[in-house]
Amino acid sequence: MWVPGAEGRQALAVAMAAAATLAVAMAARRWRRRPVREVLFFPSPPSCTEALLAEAAGTGAPAQPCPCPLPSSDCPLSRLLRRLLSARRSLDICLFAFSCPQLGLAVRLLHRRGVRVRVVTDAQYMGLRGSQIGLLRQAGIQVRHDQGQGYMHHKFAIVDRRMLITGSLNWTTQAIQSNRENVLVVEDAEYAKLYLDEFERIWEEYNPTNYKFVSQGQ
Amino acid sequence: MWVPGAEGRQALAVAMAAAATLAVAMAARRWRRRPVREVLFFPSPPSCTEALLAEAAGTGAPAQPCPCPLPSSDCPLSRLLRRLLSARRSLDICLFAFSCPQLGLAVRLLHRRGVRVRVVTDAQYMGLRGSQIGLLRQAGIQVRHDQGQGYMHHKFAIVDRRMLITGSLNWTTQAIQSNRENVLVVEDAEYAKLYLDEFERIWEEYNPTNYKFVSQGQ
């Protein structure tokens, strides 16, 4: 058996100190806040989001609880709202259909809070009854749309250029309350960049200066 | 300066051997096949998938190249086809609309190859002209559908219980060639399990033994 002398012990101490430093660094890396990874499945049961939105508006909890009979429990819609309301700097939305009032309110709240909100949507759907697009524009939010060749059928959003929210869900009450839908939430630099690049391509292509006003028959 | 003697050198050699082993293990981990992470953006340019599907059918490359004028270059559709055709054991599909002939052919090929294929779809869409659902059923593939409350609006597939394919894309030629769409492909045990669990829930709920044949007016 090899028994180290004084020098051997000194060398081993050096090696052990290095190993300890490495172990601490690896543990710190492991315990860093875990990136968001979540999947939301719909339909979401009808629920009251008044308290959640009041809190986000900075008006504090309402003095009286909402008198509506709906529960304000945790559900896929409230989770989606929380993810969106976590935005601090930017929210880029690329959405075929947007008519859900609660999600519309959340987006306008973020705009009022100074978050840079941009919305891309589908030209054919945005004028339908119940669409939130008019309200977003009235609030001063920039919205751009396609020019009608095929559908702008994406359903994704990117929060603070780092968290991707994507799936099958259009932001409509019908889809949220009645359909089988999925939304994948992932805080991942690689995926966020790919979707942001797509957003920027579409944003530029749908720049109003590129619109062609061609009358029918031409 | 500390200069190690014979024992010190021996101890350092032990420490260095351990460090080398650790480095090799870490490098091996890094160089293990990287899980698939891909995003496909549509529209996909019209393209010829004959050679790709012939190869997958095991009939080898055709003696004559396809006479059609379309290029058979790499494109989002061919990439999606390749991901699906990589299935060896199972393919679980949960899809609102399925009318793309090339994707229908790929799914039937997999079924013929012995891959266990299951399809969940939307009742209202599956009977429309061009739907692939009838052809899949004729080929002996199990298909289940909802009973018409809300839409079965998912658009995901799971390959071999490990690779998730999800996004905004319905498998229709219109969507593939004309729409702005995204498909996220991720080989990730956590996400695959969440979507598989949703698939199994729907598969059981849509079991034909649960269908209610209620006549109008009842």
Side-chain angles (χ1 to χ4, degrees):
Chain A
M1 185 184 158
W2 172 66
V3 179
E7 283 191 351
R9 285 197 296 275
Q10 195 171 359
L12 273 179
V14 170
M16 284 170 72
T21 307
L22 185 67
V24 167
M26 287 173 76
R29 193 173 163 183
R30 192 170 298 162
W31 288 102
R32 207 182 293 160
R33 185 178 72 78
R34 197 184 176 234
V36 173
R37 293 165 61 90
E38 188 175 24
V39 179
L40 308 173
F41 289 112
F42 295 78
S44 186
S47 60
C48 179
T49 54
E50 286 296 310
L52 179 59
L53 289 167
E55 184 190 327
T59 52
Q64 295 287 325
C66 180
C68 83
L70 298 174
S72 50
S73 52
D74 182 51
C75 65
L77 174 59
S78 67
R79 288 182 171 225
L80 177 57
L81 278 166
R82 280 181 207 282
R83 293 297 178 206
L84 294 170
L85 290 167
S86 73
R88 291 292 169 267
R89 290 178 301 282
S90 66
L91 176 65
D92 298 306
I93 299 172
C94 206
L95 205 56
F96 175 60
F98 190 169
S99 63
C100 169
Q102 294 99 317
L103 288 163
L105 191 52
V107 171
R108 296 202 304 279
L109 275 177
L110 289 170
H111 172 69
R112 280 213 296 278
R113 252 177 24 195
V115 171
R116 187 187 68 156
V117 178
R118 296 185 293 175
V119 178
V120 164
T121 193
D122 184 75
Q124 283 155 281
Y125 198 90
M126 71 178 182
L128 296 192
R129 202 166 68 167
S131 170
Q132 289 287 308
I133 298 299
L135 292 171
L136 300 182
R137 281 183 158 149
Q138 279 173 27
I141 293 171
Q142 285 192 75
V143 179
R144 294 185 179 180
H145 58 81
D146 67 317
Q147 278 215 298
Q149 291 171 337
Y151 291 118
M152 204 312 295
H153 201 245
H154 284 307
K155 304 127 185 2
F156 70 81
I158 306 153
V159 174
D160 289 340
R161 304 179 68 84
R162 60 175 175 77
M163 183 163 61
L164 170 66
I165 297 171
T166 189
S168 66
L169 184 81
N170 285 303
W171 292 7
T172 71
T173 304
Q174 145 81 20
I176 289 166
Q177 291 188 2
S178 305
N179 291 0
R180 295 280 184 167
E181 306 273 4
N182 69 87
V183 172
L184 184 146
V185 185
V186 60
E187 202 175 8
D188 180 291
E190 193 179 340
Y191 282 130
K193 183 178 183 325
L194 289 166
Y195 279 81
L196 258 178
D197 289 350
E198 172 73 354
F199 185 92
E200 297 292 355
R201 273 192 297 272
I202 297 180
W203 188 252
E204 274 318 302
E205 189 181 323
Y206 294 178
N207 188 322
T209 61
N210 298 329
Y211 289 174
K212 294 180 190 73
F213 298 95
V214 182
S215 64
Q216 284 194 339
Q218 278 194 310
Chain B
M1 185 186 159
W2 172 65
V3 180
E7 282 192 351
R9 285 196 297 275
Q10 196 170 357
L12 273 180
V14 170
M16 285 171 71
T21 307
L22 185 67
V24 167
M26 287 173 76
R29 193 173 163 183
R30 191 170 300 159
W31 287 103
R32 204 182 293 160
R33 186 179 72 79
R34 196 183 177 235
V36 173
R37 293 165 61 90
E38 187 174 26
V39 179
L40 308 173
F41 290 112
F42 294 79
S44 186
S47 61
C48 179
T49 54
E50 286 296 311
L52 179 60
L53 289 166
E55 184 190 327
T59 52
Q64 294 288 325
C66 179
C68 84
L70 297 174
S72 49
S73 52
D74 183 50
C75 65
L77 174 59
S78 67
R79 287 181 172 226
L80 177 57
L81 279 165
R82 280 181 206 283
R83 292 297 176 205
L84 294 170
L85 291 168
S86 73
R88 291 292 169 267
R89 291 178 300 282
S90 66
L91 176 64
D92 298 307
I93 299 172
C94 205
L95 204 56
F96 176 61
F98 190 169
S99 62
C100 169
Q102 294 98 319
L103 287 163
L105 190 51
V107 171
R108 297 201 303 279
L109 275 177
L110 289 170
H111 172 69
R112 280 212 297 276
R113 250 175 28 192
V115 171
R116 186 187 70 156
V117 178
R118 295 185 294 175
V119 178
V120 164
T121 193
D122 184 76
Q124 284 154 280
Y125 198 91
M126 71 179 184
L128 295 192
R129 202 166 67 167
S131 169
Q132 288 288 309
I133 298 299
L135 292 171
L136 299 182
R137 280 184 157 149
Q138 280 173 26
I141 293 170
Q142 284 191 75
V143 179
R144 294 185 179 180
H145 59 81
D146 67 319
Q147 276 215 297
Q149 291 171 337
Y151 290 119
M152 204 313 294
H153 200 245
H154 284 308
K155 303 125 184 7
F156 70 82
I158 306 153
V159 174
D160 289 340
R161 303 178 68 83
R162 59 174 176 76
M163 183 163 62
L164 170 66
I165 297 172
T166 189
S168 66
L169 184 82
N170 286 303
W171 292 7
T172 71
T173 303
Q174 145 81 20
I176 289 166
Q177 291 188 2
S178 304
N179 291 0
R180 295 280 183 166
E181 306 272 6
N182 68 87
V183 171
L184 185 147
V185 185
V186 60
E187 201 176 9
D188 180 292
E190 194 179 338
Y191 282 130
K193 182 177 184 324
L194 289 166
Y195 279 80
L196 258 178
D197 289 348
E198 171 74 354
F199 184 91
E200 298 292 354
R201 275 192 296 273
I202 297 180
W203 187 251
E204 273 318 301
E205 188 182 322
Y206 294 178
N207 187 323
T209 61
N210 298 330
Y211 288 174
K212 294 181 189 72
F213 298 94
V214 182
S215 63
Q216 283 193 341
Q218 277 193 313

